[in-house]
Amino acid sequence: MSSRVGLNWIWQSAKAMIVTGKHLFEPRTTEGLRPAESRAPRYRASFALVHNEHGEEACIGCKLCEKICPSDVITVVGGPKELSEATGKKRGTCTDFVLDLQACIICELCVQVCPVDAILMVREQEVPGYSREDLVLTMDKLYANEHDKALYWGSGSALMEMQNPKKEASS
Amino acid sequence: MTEFPPRVDPHFDIEEYDPEADLMALNMGPQHPSTHGVMRIKLFLDGETIVKAVPYPGYLHRGVEKLCEKLTYVQITPIFDKHDYVAPMTNEQAINLAFEKLLGLEVPLRARVLRTILAELQRIASHLLWLGTFTLDIGGTIGGGASMMMYTFREREMILDLFEALTGCRFHYNTHCPGGNRHDVPEGWETVVKAVLDAIEPRFDEYEALCDNDIFLVRTEGIGVLPPDLALELGQTGPVLRASGVDHDLRRDAPYHAYDLVDVRVAVDDGCDSLARYKVRVAEMRESVRLVRLLLPMLPQGPIVGSKPIKSLIQFKAAAGQVYVGMETPRGELGTYLIGGGDQRGAAPYRCKIRPPSLHAMAALPYLLPGHFLSDVVTVLGSLDPIMGEVDR
């Protein structure tokens, strides 16, 4: 190891002080936590269950999301098939839907596989709670999220459309 | 030909050491601010000089390889984000390259170019985080290193914002799937990338101005000398190998993604010490900026997924077969060895072996540490840049 003697430090310190001094005239380096509005449009944080265009609960209890979840955090209890008043067709129902957000890895696979666009992600994070149960999203909380929180852009069909766009009408 | 110090014996029996010496065993870690995760090094000290060092990994073992045997091809990608948590994007790409080779899927050109851009952006972000924490650990820059960390994290935030705009997450993206990408480029993304690159590139000069001082040089020059022959014997890859003067880079030597479309200039340094590793990483960041600038106009129109998009759990099926795919992540060659046909349905791998570059970097510690002072452990460990999530998996 060579011993460094001399006056190098004057020039070296001056160079570093110039860099540091430049930051006096620049915006602040640190900034606070940004609100959800300033996030990117695709920002995804939490979940919501939605109603379809006929005002029915969109989930048909097909359990595709439960099967694909890599961390097994979704539990779906399917109900009996009921006659839909709006369309006059029989459709499946869902009696209970629980999503344990503690172990969720926000991978978006449940949104991607949903055939009826029933589960969406929301752009606002869940607030920290005082007990573990606060972070388990029950069916009521998921349907409340549909109105209380900002939904993000994607749904199962929107993701499909992006990954596999329909062929333009051949002109 | 430079003279290297004689190679130390890492299995040297400490009982045979001079009994008169002031010998002390010291455990560094498992919880230590500079160990990049949870790791323990057992150090035998004579005074303040290290006589023997034994690293003990395994504190962050999460059983990723075993999990891969249970999950199907569709589910493994989000799990792989977690094992190198500083560069998740390249981890996803590595496992998906292996899937595509095993399943025989074609990746469209748009997805290949996009993956290359993402990999290079991730390399900048990963090296920026390394530079910030490394200078913070050794404290050689003006301001004790803390200002440097603030600067590098500011630039890294810009890149994470780019990833957020593309995938919706700042980390753990799950944006790749076998056969392509899940998220297409949003409108105006290329313009933002160019603006970010323009903002970041002049900063590299500032970092070098901050690091070019005697304190930094004395603490890094000649510390942790890894000769090229030892580096090759220990299986080093990435910046650690290139800083030992071996010109090896998978991006140029075995191109994957769209690296065959561009000419990759590989940064090599003959210094073999911690300073050389710093120089190589800064040069790599500049090169990554150049590559992204070259690749952005090349982004063609077209589909981003070659196969059908993910719609079911057992969508991808492969008969038994074995593949090995290596990929140059920011830390070196991340190899994935896959044997297909684990599940009865053929939708899960039978075995998945990960060859993490950080594990091999850790293996150099018993050779590099003896002879140095206790305070140099932080320098050597920092310059190797191991991520413990990747070492233990």
Side-chain angles (χ1 to χ4, degrees):
Chain A
M1 209 183 300
S2 59
S3 66
R4 289 166 184 277
V5 281
L7 295 175
N8 278 344
W9 62 273
I10 297 181
W11 165 235
Q12 286 165 357
S13 305
K15 210 163 51 170
M17 288 312 288
I18 290 168
V19 172
T20 313
K22 265 197 241 165
H23 286 87
L24 278 177
F25 308 101
E26 283 185 12
R28 279 165 56 176
T29 300
T30 52
E31 42 180 276
L33 189 64
R34 288 175 296 163
E37 296 84 54
S38 72
R39 294 281 188 188
R42 290 184 183 175
Y43 182 69
R44 56 184 203 250
S46 183
F47 292 88
L49 284 174
V50 295
H51 291 77
N52 63 8
E53 68 269 24
H54 306 302
E56 301 161 324
E57 290 182 352
C59 179
I60 55 170
C62 68
K63 297 198 179 186
L64 273 178
C65 49
E66 182 183 318
K67 279 178 197 148
I68 206 159
C69 181
S71 340
D72 285 345
V73 298
I74 302 178
T75 314
V76 185
V77 180
K81 285 200 171 183
E82 284 173 7
L83 201 67
S84 165
E85 287 173 14
T87 54
K89 286 178 189 163
K90 271 199 164 183
R91 66 190 289 277
T93 53
C94 167
T95 51
D96 197 14
F97 192 109
V98 180
L99 197 152
D100 187 354
L101 209 56
Q102 296 173 83
C104 177
I105 55 175
I106 318 282
C107 68
E108 212 187 19
L109 281 175
C110 49
V111 179
Q112 166 129 6
V113 296
C114 185
V116 287
D117 300 352
I119 184 164
L120 297 184
M121 299 195 78
V122 295
R123 303 188 54 219
E124 291 165 54
Q125 294 191 342
E126 291 294 320
V127 284
Y130 290 103
S131 66
R132 288 174 176 238
E133 287 72 33
D134 290 350
L135 276 173
V136 177
L137 297 179
T138 56
M139 204 171 179
D140 298 336
K141 280 190 201 169
L142 285 164
Y143 276 115
N145 274 357
E146 183 192 0
H147 305 291
D148 299 350
K149 301 198 169 168
L151 299 177
Y152 91 141
W153 66 285
S155 61
S157 52
L159 281 165
M160 281 298 138
E161 174 66 26
M162 182 167 70
Q163 293 165 25
N164 198 7
K166 289 194 187 73
K167 294 265 162 55
E168 299 282 324
S170 53
S171 51
Chain B
M1 190 71 199
T2 42
E3 284 290 312
F4 291 110
R7 190 180 292 187
V8 296
D9 177 17
H11 305 297
F12 151 74
D13 189 0
I14 201 70
E15 298 292 330
E16 292 168 11
Y17 196 70
D18 177 15
E20 301 290 309
D22 181 18
L23 210 60
M24 183 172 76
L26 180 75
N27 275 304
M28 192 168 169
Q31 307 278 348
H32 192 271
S34 74
T35 49
H36 295 231
V38 204
M39 105 179 261
R40 169 176 156 222
I41 315 173
K42 196 172 187 184
L43 300 167
F44 292 95
L45 301 170
D46 179 3
E48 214 185 331
T49 313
I50 296 159
V51 180
K52 184 183 177 181
V54 189
Y56 289 92
Y59 287 88
L60 214 53
H61 179 65
R62 289 157 297 177
V64 170
E65 291 179 3
K66 188 67 191 166
L67 259 181
C68 289
E69 295 167 20
K70 178 179 166 272
L71 303 174
T72 66
Y73 294 118
V74 173
Q75 294 174 314
I76 290 174
T77 314
I79 299 294
F80 254 67
D81 276 338
K82 274 87 190 162
H83 91 248
D84 176 356
Y85 38 75
V86 175
M89 196 67 93
T90 44
N91 281 285
E92 280 185 12
Q93 292 176 354
I95 190 73
N96 277 298
L97 278 175
F99 287 165
E100 281 145 15
K101 198 170 171 189
L102 183 70
L103 303 165
L105 297 172
E106 278 289 312
V107 186
L109 184 64
R110 182 177 174 82
R112 276 166 50 209
V113 176
L114 183 58
R115 283 179 178 191
T116 321
I117 294 172
L118 293 176
E120 290 306 318
L121 286 174
Q122 182 70 78
R123 190 181 313 274
I124 304 172
S126 172
H127 284 353
L128 279 174
L129 188 139
W130 167 81
L131 185 60
T133 49
F134 180 60
T135 47
L136 182 70
D137 286 347
I138 69 171
T141 56
I142 295 290
S147 55
M148 184 75 157
M149 195 200 77
M150 289 288 178
Y151 297 158
T152 55
F153 270 63
R154 173 190 56 194
E155 271 76 79
R156 182 169 164 272
E157 281 295 298
M158 294 179 188
I159 295 174
L160 293 192
D161 281 344
L162 292 178
F163 290 157
E164 183 186 318
L166 179 76
T167 68
C169 277
R170 306 174 70 73
F171 250 66
H172 309 323
Y173 317 100
N174 188 23
T175 187
H176 299 84
C177 63
N181 278 34
R182 286 178 59 243
H183 296 99
D184 206 348
V185 173
E187 211 170 313
W189 193 70
E190 291 99 328
T191 333
V192 189
V193 174
K194 271 183 199 139
V196 166
L197 292 182
D198 289 340
I200 287 181
E201 200 168 22
R203 303 284 189 194
F204 297 144
D205 297 331
E206 291 186 3
Y207 303 152
E208 287 185 331
L210 282 174
C211 285
D212 178 27
N213 64 51
D214 284 353
I215 306 169
F216 186 83
L217 291 175
V218 166
R219 290 218 57 188
T220 53
E221 214 170 9
I223 304 295
V225 174
L226 182 66
D229 55 337
L230 180 61
L232 286 171
E233 266 177 47
L234 292 174
Q236 303 294 346
T237 44
V240 180
L241 182 65
R242 291 194 282 275
S244 289
V246 182
D247 193 0
H248 174 79
D249 193 322
L250 288 180
R251 291 179 290 167
R252 184 198 56 199
D253 300 338
Y256 48 92
H257 293 344
Y259 281 114
D260 45 354
L261 299 181
V262 287
D263 173 33
V264 184
R265 296 184 305 204
V266 179
V268 185
D269 198 290
D270 286 331
C272 305
D273 54 0
S274 303
L275 183 65
R277 282 167 225 143
Y278 154 79
K279 282 183 188 162
V280 164
R281 288 204 174 91
V282 174
E284 275 187 13
M285 282 198 276
R286 290 181 196 275
E287 173 65 10
S288 293
V289 169
R290 191 187 72 94
L291 286 179
V292 177
R293 282 230 175 89
L294 274 177
L295 282 160
L296 269 182
M298 285 188 200
L299 197 64
Q301 293 299 317
I304 51 165
V305 189
S307 57
K308 284 210 171 112
I310 295 171
K311 209 61 188 173
S312 86
L313 183 66
I314 49 170
Q315 182 159 347
F316 302 105
K317 292 180 185 172
Q322 44 182 321
V323 292
Y324 174 84
V325 179
M327 180 184 159
E328 190 80 22
T329 67
R331 261 157 281 284
E333 178 180 345
L334 176 61
T336 315
Y337 174 65
L338 267 183
I339 302 179
D343 201 333
Q344 283 110 7
R345 301 164 296 187
Y350 175 74
R351 175 83 172 93
C352 174
K353 167 86 182 86
I354 306 157
R355 180 232 179 264
S358 297
L359 180 67
H360 293 252
M362 285 269 302
L365 277 178
Y367 291 91
L368 298 188
L369 289 181
H372 287 310
F373 289 134
L374 179 60
S375 57
D376 293 330
V377 178
V378 176
T379 315
V380 174
L381 188 62
S383 72
L384 292 174
D385 193 19
I387 295 297
M388 299 318 290
E390 196 178 47
V391 173
D392 301 335
R393 308 190 294 293

